[in-house]
Amino acid sequence: MSEHEPRTTGQQFGRRSWAEPWKIKMVEPLAVTTREQREAALEGAGYNTFLLRSEDVYIDLLTDSGTSAMSDRQWAGMMLGDEAYAGSRNFYALERAVFEHYGYQHLIPTHQGRGAEHLLSRVAIRPGQWVPGNMYFTTTRLHQELAGATFEDVIIDEAHDPADLHPFKGNVDLAKLRALFERVGPENVAYVSLAGTVNMAGGQPVSMANARDVHALAQEHGVKVYLDATRMVENALFIQEREDGYADRSIAEILLEFCSHTDGGWISAKKDSLVNIGGWLAVNDQELFEELRNQVVIFEGLHTYGGLAGRDMEAMAIGTRESVQDEHVRARVGQVRYLGELLSSWDIPMVQPIGGHAIFLDARRFYEHLPQDRFPAQTLAAELYLDSGIRSMERGIVSAGRDAAGEHKRPKLELTRLTIPRRVYTQAHMDVTAEAVKAVWDAREQARGLTMTYEPKYLRFFQARFEPL
Ligand code: F0G
């Protein structure tokens, strides 16, 4: 490892090393660029990693969404696509897989997660209502707001502190939830929006006990709980590792039990379910299902395909089953942890404990000299790309957007996310990534920050442009 520490092994961290439970059958060459090429590419992209062309990227840690490698079984399943407009065989295979692993009765496929969020928000929210949730997610909150709701963050305070070591930093603060019911009246709460391994908090899990308590409290007030199950498989691993009574339970058992504490859920299948496109929404209530089934034909497609090809649904059904295998989840989260432990051993500041899908570098502590208005997390993503061609993403003030008065929302967390695609990169790629982060950390005092030169109205982080100061 060049000028840094010697190569790290699992034994150094007090455990046996693990290896990926797959081997590589097909490869995709990576682009290697020069610093000059990267400078030109980044300038052309307005210093926003979302606007880079992927051909200019070496290791792509922008997101774990839709970037997984499918298995040979999934590719074989693609050949079994039943491309009938209505009643495709693959829809029923997916319905069965979702019922067996998530336990929900009625399934609506959607083109991806936000398609499901759109439908649920339209049907389950009356304008003027509140939606409490364990920290916001960008698209989820926007659909809730577009349907006329006000989002209220009811996550525990520990989630807003990157250094706090609470084992379930995704938990809902029951006192905050109860206070909301009392303040606005439960009839004005559309539903509780509960998310597994909370993305914006750093991939932090929710405990089984908390899910049970949230459901009980909501039921007491006649309010439903809907689960963003996008990364629930990873949440199940944390429960297995950290919660009393679950060490001997399988991921599949834990997942099913967790979902039983909710009234329905949705998923971006582009994450846990190991596909490149797809999502679903599933509920137990027949009446709600009928409304959703009616809405899906307006916005996505017929209720047996929801904007997807039959082959996509088949790959999703197979991916759902592969995603709950203990070996798979352990290796997936283990790879994230490997990178995190390496960086921690060099005292690089990040959200702790290490989350399920990504390392979230603490840009406030990286660039203590940069105020939030200079976009420290955006700056860090830009610097990391310039150093090495590694693509990460901002999760701070740019992602948070503006409030009703037009002011920046100022999240406590100012983070740069290194997101690990599933089954795509090897441990050697993690070593290279860690060394690049270390080089940027060592040069941290030279960073000047950015200024925003273009800002779109919605979800500005995707398309905003910046210039260096
Ligand atoms: N919920 C969560 C927790 C997510 O992380 C995402 C997407 C969505 C919903 C929306 O799903 O993208 O399929 O429409 N997250 C991606 C990310 C974009 O990079 O974290 P989608």
Side-chain angles (χ1 to χ4, degrees):
M1 304 250 306
S2 62
E3 74 267 37
H4 306 308
E5 300 297 308
R7 192 181 166 92
T8 317
T9 69
Q11 279 188 327
Q12 233 171 293
F13 297 121
R15 56 167 169 69
R16 293 281 292 274
S17 291
W18 54 273
E20 294 82 0
W22 36 259
K23 57 183 177 174
I24 296 163
K25 188 177 311 221
M26 190 188 286
V27 299
E28 178 181 338
L30 293 175
V32 178
T33 51
T34 63
R35 176 145 188 136
E36 272 165 12
Q37 285 170 325
R38 292 194 291 277
E39 278 168 3
L42 194 64
E43 198 187 335
Y47 293 82
N48 184 347
T49 50
F50 277 102
L51 301 178
L52 287 167
R53 291 174 181 232
S54 84
E55 339 183 273
D56 295 325
V57 173
Y58 172 42
I59 297 174
D60 201 346
L61 307 182
L62 183 71
T63 177
D64 62 334
S65 184
T67 53
S68 297
M70 294 211 297
S71 67
D72 51 358
R73 272 75 175 166
Q74 285 176 291
W75 279 108
M78 297 285 280
M79 296 305 291
L80 303 176
D82 169 5
E83 308 305 342
Y85 189 88
S88 156
R89 204 184 53 74
N90 315 118
F91 166 77
Y92 297 103
L94 179 62
E95 193 182 44
R96 204 160 46 246
V98 170
F99 178 69
E100 282 176 24
H101 292 298
Y102 294 83
Y104 302 127
Q105 306 268 341
H106 307 295
L107 177 80
I108 301 216
T110 59
H111 77 284
Q112 60 181 75
R114 71 199 71 181
E117 291 168 346
H118 174 219
L119 299 180
L120 182 67
S121 302
R122 286 182 71 85
V123 169
I125 294 170
R126 262 187 295 111
Q129 285 187 311
W130 269 262
V131 176
N134 51 344
M135 202 174 270
Y136 80 102
F137 184 70
T138 53
T139 59
T140 318
R141 183 180 67 187
L142 180 58
H143 279 296
Q144 290 159 350
E145 288 173 347
L146 290 172
T150 304
F151 179 83
E152 175 122 338
D153 183 8
V154 293
I155 203 165
I156 57 173
D157 288 340
E158 287 87 338
H160 295 282
D161 176 0
D164 193 292
L165 293 177
H166 193 295
F168 290 103
K169 269 168 110 173
N171 279 356
V172 169
D173 184 329
L174 295 165
K176 288 185 193 170
L177 183 58
R178 189 174 287 113
L180 179 74
F181 286 143
E182 279 163 18
R183 197 179 83 231
V184 305
E187 68 285 2
N188 292 316
V189 175
Y191 56 90
V192 179
S193 186
L194 182 69
T197 51
V198 180
N199 194 350
M200 302 301 278
Q204 303 295 325
V206 178
S207 71
M208 190 71 84
N210 190 249
R212 201 181 303 124
D213 292 346
V214 168
H215 200 217
L217 180 62
Q219 275 180 328
E220 227 174 87
H221 292 84
V223 173
K224 302 282 191 211
V225 177
Y226 297 124
L227 176 67
D228 182 341
T230 294
R231 296 186 185 84
M232 241 343 276
V233 164
E234 292 162 11
N235 199 112
L237 178 76
F238 290 114
I239 290 176
Q240 191 186 59
E241 289 178 340
R242 297 177 189 170
E243 196 163 353
D244 281 348
Y246 290 95
D248 297 326
R249 305 278 301 281
S250 69
I251 296 294
E253 287 169 336
I254 295 170
L255 176 63
L256 200 55
E257 181 184 332
F258 195 100
C259 294
S260 76
H261 298 308
T262 66
D263 299 290
W266 75 92
I267 194 171
S268 166
K270 301 169 72 172
K271 282 80 163 177
D272 273 356
S273 307
L274 300 163
V275 287
N276 305 120
I277 193 71
W280 52 255
L281 173 60
V283 295
N284 292 327
D285 184 276
Q286 177 73 31
E287 228 173 281
L288 176 64
F289 170 62
E290 279 170 24
E291 269 187 76
L292 291 166
R293 186 171 58 179
N294 199 212
Q295 291 286 321
V296 74
V297 298
I298 308 172
F299 295 104
E300 303 276 316
L302 192 72
H303 57 276
T304 56
Y305 75 83
L308 296 167
R311 55 181 171 270
D312 295 331
M313 291 188 286
E314 191 63 30
M316 217 154 98
I318 297 168
T320 300
R321 295 183 190 287
E322 291 180 357
S323 76
V324 301
Q325 302 304 314
D326 285 58
E327 273 310 297
H328 160 69
V329 192
R330 242 178 254 141
R332 186 281 184 282
V333 176
Q335 190 176 44
V336 176
R337 206 169 279 165
Y338 173 84
L339 174 60
E341 284 172 346
L342 200 46
L343 293 170
S344 297
S345 72
W346 296 329
D347 296 324
I348 290 175
M350 70 184 81
V351 174
Q352 298 280 3
I354 295 159
H357 66 302
I359 299 304
F360 289 75
L361 300 172
D362 186 351
R364 278 184 195 273
R365 287 189 45 218
F366 242 84
Y367 298 135
E368 281 171 348
H369 59 293
L370 295 184
Q372 212 171 8
D373 295 89
R374 292 209 183 164
F375 310 111
Q378 191 80 34
T379 303
L380 178 49
E383 293 293 341
L384 185 60
Y385 174 75
L386 284 178
D387 178 80
S388 58
I390 292 169
R391 172 153 71 170
S392 58
M393 119 167 29
E394 197 263 8
R395 292 275 89 150
I397 189 171
V398 183
S399 294
R402 289 184 187 271
D403 63 20
E407 298 296 322
H408 290 304
K409 289 179 182 161
R410 291 176 179 279
K412 286 204 188 112
L413 298 179
E414 179 70 26
L415 308 173
T416 303
R417 188 180 77 172
L418 304 170
T419 339
I420 314 302
R422 294 165 186 76
R423 308 192 295 204
V424 171
Y425 293 114
T426 65
Q427 193 157 311
H429 291 113
M430 298 300 109
D431 289 336
V432 168
T433 300
E435 288 182 40
V437 173
K438 176 83 162 71
V440 174
W441 169 245
D442 290 342
R444 62 194 178 278
E445 277 159 25
Q446 280 123 56
R448 294 275 156 273
L450 297 164
T451 177
M452 205 188 306
T453 56
Y454 166 72
E455 179 176 354
K457 188 164 168 205
Y458 297 112
L459 303 175
R460 61 183 182 175
F461 57 94
F462 283 132
Q463 291 144 349
R465 300 184 72 86
F466 303 83
E467 272 171 15
L469 281 163

